[in-house]
Amino acid sequence: MSYGKFQKEAGVYTNWRNKNNLPYLNYEKVEEIIRDKWITDKRYKELIAFILENWDSGNCDNFSRPFSKHLIDNKELNFYKRLWKGIIRNRLDKFWNQYDYLRQELPDFTLEKIKLVNINGFNQFSSEESIERCFAWKRLYIIEGINEFIKGLEILKDSEEIAKQISLLAIVSNLEKPKPKPTTDKRKIDETIFWQIIDENRKISTDQFNFLDNLKSTLETFHPKELRKFDKLLITKANELNTWEHWALAYIVRSGCGDDEFDYFRVWAVSKGQTSFEAIKELNENQLLQIFDEDPQLEELNYLAEQVYETKTSDLMPPIRVKTSKLTGKRWDEDNLPQTFPTLCKLFNFE
């Protein structure tokens, strides 16, 4: 919900300025104003979620640094770690994917060659940059980010996390991509085991991003063919929510929801665990409010089992065959949602 809330508040603020004939502010400045308001109101968890979703490449330096400094100054260690571990995780995901691509396209590349690449004038937003320059820049970008994270940890005196980040720093610096875990979990993934895996990892996770990390570690211990079963069950369960009524719920909760966002909403619902999933499926209005404690979007879960499979086998996962799910239910008009779904709209303050 963080993304929708942030965008809504930014829109309200912009409209207020327009009505009062105040000078125009570009959207970046408006974002900074809403960010600072959320910091003042101590809406740390929501702001972290917004940052990690909105800048999933980790390229959020200018926006997140004042927030990061605030967390350090106020000794908010746990929130500081959640922010930075999320940022670095996003950067690493893109980095290792590019690492695999670079090895495929330029099999003779070495660490020493990457170190010699000239990145002066590099433009991270240009599609014309070479893959060597992109990779060399990203390597240094992640190294700088980890070092920045460590500096804050030193102020907050978290020696255990500092040791972990120093270890990660060496891995990135030396391009030592972690090897896949051996297959140690011999269970066959059926629907019961599927929900056990989801529920157990949700229970130990602080948020949806930490959940993805924990789930990935769990899936890495399974045989590749079981990963295909996991993926098939994920798709099957998400398809059970492919109705106009569940799309309305997603739209109301997020103050807007397009086609892609509805796909991400449905896999997020699965990620919340079996009990919450069933409550969402039944549109149980007595339970929904407590379930929606984070932005209901989890696109990355769509690809997680496939990525783990590829890492373990060095091959693409064969296509998963699941019967196509057609959108069912009664179509609604967004202008009439308060009349069509009055209780849901009231529950989530949708106007």
Side-chain angles (χ1 to χ4, degrees):
M1 290 187 290
S2 300
Y3 182 81
K5 287 181 179 178
F6 194 97
Q7 299 295 338
K8 185 175 182 179
E9 290 190 27
V12 169
Y13 178 74
T14 299
N15 290 337
W16 174 81
R17 291 186 65 88
N18 291 338
K19 288 179 181 178
N20 288 276
N21 297 316
L22 295 174
Y24 169 78
L25 293 179
N26 63 35
Y27 189 69
E28 286 185 0
K29 185 61 180 176
V30 173
E31 281 189 323
E32 292 172 2
I33 290 170
I34 303 302
R35 174 202 64 198
D36 294 344
K37 182 179 184 301
W38 280 26
I39 291 174
T40 300
D41 295 341
K42 297 187 176 181
R43 295 169 65 178
Y44 303 149
K45 183 178 179 181
E46 292 175 282
L47 187 51
I48 290 171
F50 171 74
I51 289 171
L52 298 185
E53 179 183 341
N54 203 41
W55 284 278
D56 62 355
S57 66
N59 180 29
C60 54
D61 297 13
N62 292 336
F63 184 87
S64 64
R65 277 200 178 107
F67 180 34
S68 178
K69 182 179 183 303
H70 173 87
L71 295 175
I72 294 172
D73 292 344
N74 288 273
K75 296 181 170 52
E76 293 284 359
L77 173 62
N78 289 334
F79 285 114
Y80 177 76
K81 287 165 65 174
R82 285 170 70 172
L83 171 66
W84 267 104
K85 291 177 82 168
I87 291 172
I88 291 171
R89 178 185 58 249
N90 284 344
R91 292 181 187 179
L92 282 173
D93 284 345
K94 306 294 185 298
F95 178 72
W96 291 126
N97 286 339
Q98 195 165 27
Y99 171 81
D100 291 336
Y101 178 73
L102 188 61
R103 289 184 62 186
Q104 180 180 351
E105 295 296 312
L106 302 172
D108 62 338
F109 97 95
T110 64
L111 174 60
E112 293 307 315
K113 287 182 179 179
I114 290 299
K115 288 181 177 179
L116 293 174
V117 173
N118 184 349
I119 59 172
N120 289 336
F122 176 80
N123 182 356
Q124 59 179 306
F125 304 109
S126 172
S127 60
E128 297 181 0
E129 293 285 0
S130 69
I131 56 174
E132 298 98 326
R133 275 169 58 85
C134 286
F135 187 76
W137 179 85
K138 279 191 176 179
R139 174 177 168 273
L140 293 178
Y141 185 50
I142 294 174
I143 289 171
E144 290 170 359
I146 296 172
N147 280 322
E148 187 171 347
F149 183 25
I150 290 173
K151 287 180 182 178
L153 291 169
E154 289 172 344
I155 296 172
L156 296 170
K157 300 179 181 179
D158 188 336
S159 56
E160 183 178 350
E161 188 61 45
I162 289 172
K164 291 179 182 178
Q165 293 305 314
I166 289 175
S167 176
L168 178 59
L169 189 62
I171 289 171
V172 175
S173 297
N174 299 318
L175 298 184
E176 298 171 344
K177 184 179 179 181
K179 295 180 180 180
K181 293 180 180 178
T183 299
T184 56
D185 197 322
K186 305 300 183 182
R187 290 179 294 171
K188 308 297 182 184
I189 296 182
D190 55 15
E191 186 169 334
T192 299
I193 300 300
F194 173 83
W195 282 122
Q196 284 181 8
I197 293 170
I198 296 290
D199 288 334
E200 288 169 2
N201 281 287
R202 262 297 180 178
K203 187 176 182 180
I204 64 172
S205 302
T206 55
D207 55 33
Q208 67 220 82
F209 307 107
N210 186 224
F211 166 76
L212 287 172
D213 289 340
N214 292 327
L215 179 60
K216 181 180 179 183
S217 294
T218 297
L219 292 179
E220 286 172 339
T221 65
F222 279 89
H223 191 279
K225 69 178 182 180
E226 300 307 315
L227 299 176
R228 298 189 71 239
K229 295 178 184 178
F230 179 92
D231 215 28
K232 184 173 184 177
L233 282 163
L234 174 64
I235 297 169
T236 300
K237 289 298 169 185
N239 282 347
E240 292 179 13
L241 303 183
N242 195 23
T243 76
W244 280 103
E245 289 74 20
H246 291 98
W247 197 345
L249 172 63
Y251 195 102
I252 291 166
V253 169
R254 303 193 75 243
S255 297
C257 182
D259 295 14
D260 291 342
E261 287 81 5
F262 184 44
D263 290 339
Y264 310 152
F265 167 84
R266 290 186 286 129
V267 292
W268 170 85
V270 178
S271 83
K272 289 296 283 183
Q274 187 172 16
T275 300
S276 295
F277 174 81
E278 294 298 336
I280 293 171
K281 184 178 177 180
E282 298 299 323
L283 294 174
N284 189 324
E285 294 166 346
N286 294 324
Q287 298 182 38
L288 290 179
L289 194 59
Q290 64 186 35
I291 293 172
F292 287 87
D293 58 352
E294 60 190 19
D295 192 24
Q297 297 280 279
L298 204 57
E299 177 185 4
E300 296 90 339
L301 184 54
N302 275 322
Y303 323 116
L304 188 63
E306 184 178 355
Q307 290 170 349
V308 174
Y309 182 101
E310 185 175 346
T311 300
K312 288 180 74 73
T313 66
S314 298
D315 197 5
L316 296 177
M317 180 188 283
I320 303 296
R321 291 186 174 86
V322 177
K323 187 177 179 180
T324 303
S325 171
K326 293 183 179 180
L327 188 63
T328 61
K330 186 177 180 180
R331 185 168 187 148
W332 42 266
D333 186 292
E334 59 189 73
D335 294 330
N336 296 323
L337 279 171
Q339 291 75 40
T340 311
F341 300 96
T343 305
L344 286 178
C345 288
K346 183 177 181 181
L347 189 64
F348 292 102
N349 298 316
F350 181 87
E351 298 177 356

